[in-house]
Amino acid sequence: MCGIVGYVGAKQALSVVVEGLRRLEYRGYDSAGVAVVADGALSVRKRAGKLGSLEELLGADPLPDSTVGIGHTRWATHGAPTDSNAHPHVDEHAQIAVIHNGIIENHAAIRQRLLAKGVHFSSETDTEVVAHLLAHEYPSTQGDLAEAMRRTARQLDGAFTLLALSAADPDVVVGARRNSPLVVGCGLGENFLASDVAAFISHTREALELGQDQCVELRADSITVTDFDGNPARARAFTVDWDAEAAEKGGYDLFMLKEIAEQPRAVADTLAERIGSNGQLQLRELDSVSSRLASVDQIVFLACGTAYHAGLVGKYFSDHFVGVPSVVELASEFRYREAPLGDNTLVVAISQSGETMDTAMAVRHAKESGALVISICNTQGSSIPRESDAALYTRAGPEIAVASTKAFLTQVVAVQLLLLQIAIIKGSSDDLELKSMIKALADLPAQVDLALDTVEPARQVARELVGAKSVLYIGRHVGFPVALEGALKLKELAYMHAEGFAAGELKHGPIALIEPGVPVVVIVPPMGSPMQIREKILSNVAEVQARGAKTVVIATAGDEEAEKVADYLIRVPLTPLLLQPVVATVPLQVLACELATAKGHDVDQPRNLAKSVTVE
Ligand code: F6R
């Protein structure tokens, strides 16, 4: 939520900053703005709307040349998405500009204090107080903007990444972070600050991850990190393991289409080196916690949205292989319950971005309660893995489309790897069965590749469903999370009413929604799954068909029983039941993408959403 970029170096700052904002626009896109310092003055341009509107403004009213600048793309929290609420915000004398990601929780009290001192505000945002606080602190710091930032940060509650520029110091950008992301890009004679490495990946892959409550002073040839009291602090260095091309559309019309197509590679990369040529699992990332894993007696999966659905798949897997009680919790709910956690509880936090505030706060709560926390994450340098005892990175590469696709598939795979490893450590499962599941996992990239053959059939079905008012999704066992995921994709992209149900629940109420013509998407377990599950869902399909529903059946190629009850059929490759979500989700992603396109929606940037939800 909100993307921020800062630059100091020898290049034209504006083009570096705007290019960075383009790569961060997935984080928020309701307004954008930039600020540079030139000839001892601050120049700001900002405008409501997507980045394109700001670029039009910059064309009509150019900024002066400058080698230092900051930029922001906003997802509104306080104040409507208007020009005046867009960032950067400046102090009354336009000497200091600030951009912000997060929420300043005590902004109202600070605003009152500043109003009492006669300060004039020009926006409704929580952020503007920071510009005025910085301006008040700056004069007594002998021109030390970093010190002014530290003094300001100490007065703030809540979540913030802040960047600031001063007209009086054309060589420096300062930043501060608490509970929101901030990474430094380390170049040669130039340095970068951003919410995400994507902003500077075309300039450098060397990065620093700022820790909690740290402040950074960035110059072209130096990076100084301190805590909020000014004591020297260390930021963790890392090298980004993907390149700028990975964050481009690469010939596709939409990032989402590219990311769907990348899924075989993403799954292969997530498995790579984790299954040895001898068929043994080797998850070195878990070495430091393996003795604690041996005594795990409860597993709690924590996540939000699509990642929560990956957790639901994990529960079925855990029940089968690990056999200790497990629950899947929405991170936003978990945090405010008094869930009993102990030293032997394993919390598995799943997050693509590693920055989702609800999940990050739930992780913190779990750590404080003494639980072992392992995160499954796709983003290097993000908060959730940093706060976990161990992290298993998915290797999906940058996911730019707001709707999650390849991240979901790799989350499911990573959760399964983790649970198999626990089963091995605990000796909780039959050796032969473990071996055969590891082999099936190793074969998955090829199966996902075959699942891409569903793209065309799913597109054809989408054309048939354009006029539908509502689409229902049903599944049993791991097909249930797939149904939830399919429905979520349709809601967020096509803005259509959609709901996922456990098929067995239909008769307890939802079947009343069925009327002639209502599309019902059904995930049929692969042949070879326990008969009770297959038979029961096939009778559920017959029940809805008897009431006039149009069935869209996702079934394994060659499944003749499923074909009989299908008005529209999409065939997916054969996998073991527990792995079916990895292939069955693919056509549902395409269905939602196509329906959204047919309705003329912006698929990569759906309304009201942002990719990284860094507010609660
Ligand atoms: C839906 C989607 C969201 C995210 C959720 C969690 O397509 O992308 O539901 O899954 O906001 O995000 P992460 O995984 O970054 O914690």
Short mmCIF file of all heavy atoms in Angstrom, two decimals, residues 304-307 350-354 356 359 402-404 411 488-489 492 611 613, ligand 1:
data_model
loop_
_atom_site.label_atom_id
_atom_site.label_comp_id
_atom_site.label_asym_id
_atom_site.label_seq_id
_atom_site.Cartn_x
_atom_site.Cartn_y
_atom_site.Cartn_z
N CYS A 304 -3.77 -14.11 4.87
CA CYS A 304 -4.94 -13.35 4.42
C CYS A 304 -5.19 -13.67 2.95
O CYS A 304 -4.25 -13.95 2.20
CB CYS A 304 -4.67 -11.85 4.49
SG CYS A 304 -4.19 -11.28 6.11
N GLY A 305 -6.44 -13.54 2.55
CA GLY A 305 -6.80 -13.61 1.13
C GLY A 305 -6.37 -14.91 0.48
O GLY A 305 -6.56 -16.02 1.00
N THR A 306 -5.76 -14.77 -0.67
CA THR A 306 -5.30 -15.93 -1.43
C THR A 306 -4.33 -16.78 -0.61
O THR A 306 -4.38 -18.01 -0.64
CB THR A 306 -4.65 -15.43 -2.74
OG1 THR A 306 -5.69 -15.00 -3.60
CG2 THR A 306 -3.85 -16.50 -3.43
N ALA A 307 -3.45 -16.12 0.12
CA ALA A 307 -2.47 -16.87 0.92
C ALA A 307 -3.18 -17.72 1.98
O ALA A 307 -2.72 -18.81 2.34
CB ALA A 307 -1.49 -15.90 1.58
N ILE A 350 1.95 -17.24 5.95
CA ILE A 350 2.09 -17.29 4.49
C ILE A 350 1.79 -15.90 3.92
O ILE A 350 0.73 -15.34 4.19
CB ILE A 350 1.11 -18.32 3.88
CG1 ILE A 350 1.23 -19.66 4.62
CG2 ILE A 350 1.37 -18.51 2.39
CD1 ILE A 350 0.15 -20.66 4.26
N SER A 351 2.73 -15.38 3.16
CA SER A 351 2.52 -14.04 2.60
C SER A 351 3.40 -13.83 1.37
O SER A 351 4.62 -14.00 1.45
CB SER A 351 2.86 -12.98 3.66
OG SER A 351 2.81 -11.69 3.10
N GLN A 352 2.80 -13.46 0.27
CA GLN A 352 3.57 -13.16 -0.93
C GLN A 352 4.48 -11.98 -0.67
O GLN A 352 5.68 -12.03 -0.90
CB GLN A 352 2.60 -12.86 -2.09
CG GLN A 352 3.23 -12.67 -3.46
CD GLN A 352 3.94 -11.35 -3.68
OE1 GLN A 352 5.09 -11.35 -4.11
NE2 GLN A 352 3.31 -10.25 -3.36
N SER A 353 3.88 -10.89 -0.20
CA SER A 353 4.62 -9.63 -0.06
C SER A 353 5.55 -9.64 1.14
O SER A 353 6.54 -8.93 1.16
CB SER A 353 3.63 -8.48 0.12
OG SER A 353 2.87 -8.70 1.30
N GLY A 354 5.19 -10.42 2.16
CA GLY A 354 5.95 -10.36 3.41
C GLY A 354 5.68 -9.08 4.18
O GLY A 354 6.35 -8.79 5.18
N THR A 356 2.14 -7.81 4.55
CA THR A 356 0.74 -7.67 4.93
C THR A 356 0.65 -7.39 6.43
O THR A 356 1.10 -8.21 7.24
CB THR A 356 -0.03 -8.96 4.55
OG1 THR A 356 0.07 -9.10 3.14
CG2 THR A 356 -1.48 -8.89 4.97
N THR A 359 -0.93 -9.95 8.81
CA THR A 359 -0.11 -11.15 9.02
C THR A 359 1.13 -10.81 9.84
O THR A 359 1.52 -11.56 10.75
CB THR A 359 0.28 -11.76 7.65
OG1 THR A 359 -0.90 -11.85 6.84
CG2 THR A 359 0.89 -13.13 7.80
N VAL A 402 -2.13 -7.26 -9.37
CA VAL A 402 -2.63 -7.23 -7.99
C VAL A 402 -3.20 -8.59 -7.58
O VAL A 402 -3.00 -9.05 -6.46
CB VAL A 402 -3.65 -6.07 -7.84
CG1 VAL A 402 -4.47 -6.23 -6.58
CG2 VAL A 402 -2.89 -4.74 -7.80
N ALA A 403 -3.90 -9.25 -8.49
CA ALA A 403 -4.46 -10.56 -8.14
C ALA A 403 -3.35 -11.61 -8.16
O ALA A 403 -2.60 -11.74 -9.13
CB ALA A 403 -5.54 -10.94 -9.14
N SER A 404 -3.28 -12.36 -7.09
CA SER A 404 -2.20 -13.32 -6.92
C SER A 404 -2.45 -14.57 -7.75
O SER A 404 -3.55 -15.13 -7.73
CB SER A 404 -2.13 -13.67 -5.44
OG SER A 404 -0.95 -14.31 -5.15
N GLN A 411 3.06 -20.94 -3.07
CA GLN A 411 2.79 -21.04 -1.62
C GLN A 411 2.32 -22.45 -1.28
O GLN A 411 2.74 -23.04 -0.28
CB GLN A 411 1.70 -20.03 -1.21
CG GLN A 411 2.21 -18.60 -1.10
CD GLN A 411 1.09 -17.57 -1.12
OE1 GLN A 411 -0.07 -17.89 -1.36
NE2 GLN A 411 1.44 -16.33 -0.87
N LEU A 488 -12.76 -15.78 -5.19
CA LEU A 488 -12.06 -14.53 -4.85
C LEU A 488 -11.52 -13.85 -6.11
O LEU A 488 -11.65 -12.64 -6.30
CB LEU A 488 -10.92 -14.82 -3.86
CG LEU A 488 -10.04 -13.63 -3.48
CD1 LEU A 488 -10.85 -12.52 -2.81
CD2 LEU A 488 -8.90 -14.05 -2.56
N LYS A 489 -10.93 -14.65 -6.99
CA LYS A 489 -10.38 -14.08 -8.24
C LYS A 489 -11.49 -13.39 -9.03
O LYS A 489 -11.30 -12.31 -9.57
CB LYS A 489 -9.75 -15.17 -9.13
CG LYS A 489 -8.46 -15.75 -8.61
CD LYS A 489 -7.24 -14.89 -8.87
CE LYS A 489 -6.72 -14.21 -7.64
NZ LYS A 489 -6.13 -14.86 -6.59
N GLU A 492 -12.58 -10.05 -7.31
CA GLU A 492 -11.64 -8.92 -7.33
C GLU A 492 -11.34 -8.43 -8.73
O GLU A 492 -11.00 -7.26 -8.92
CB GLU A 492 -10.35 -9.25 -6.58
CG GLU A 492 -9.47 -10.29 -7.23
CD GLU A 492 -8.20 -10.56 -6.44
OE1 GLU A 492 -7.65 -9.64 -5.83
OE2 GLU A 492 -7.75 -11.72 -6.44
N LYS A 611 -1.71 -4.14 -3.96
CA LYS A 611 -1.10 -5.46 -3.87
C LYS A 611 -0.62 -5.78 -2.46
O LYS A 611 -0.75 -6.89 -1.98
CB LYS A 611 0.08 -5.54 -4.83
CG LYS A 611 0.79 -6.86 -4.81
CD LYS A 611 0.62 -7.59 -6.10
CE LYS A 611 1.08 -9.00 -6.05
NZ LYS A 611 -0.01 -9.94 -6.23
N VAL A 613 -0.88 -5.05 1.36
CA VAL A 613 -1.84 -4.40 2.25
C VAL A 613 -1.16 -4.08 3.58
O VAL A 613 -1.21 -4.86 4.52
CB VAL A 613 -3.09 -5.28 2.44
CG1 VAL A 613 -4.16 -4.54 3.24
CG2 VAL A 613 -3.66 -5.66 1.08
C1 F6R B 1 -5.87 -11.88 -4.01
C2 F6R B 1 -4.69 -11.37 -3.32
C3 F6R B 1 -4.82 -11.05 -1.88
C4 F6R B 1 -3.52 -11.43 -1.12
C5 F6R B 1 -3.63 -10.98 0.33
C6 F6R B 1 -2.40 -11.40 1.12
O1 F6R B 1 -5.59 -12.17 -5.35
O2 F6R B 1 -3.65 -11.19 -3.90
O3 F6R B 1 -5.92 -11.66 -1.31
O4 F6R B 1 -3.35 -12.81 -1.20
O5 F6R B 1 -3.76 -9.60 0.37
O6 F6R B 1 -1.25 -10.85 0.58
P1 F6R B 1 0.18 -11.40 0.94
O7 F6R B 1 0.29 -12.77 0.38
O8 F6R B 1 1.14 -10.44 0.32
O9 F6R B 1 0.27 -11.41 2.43
#
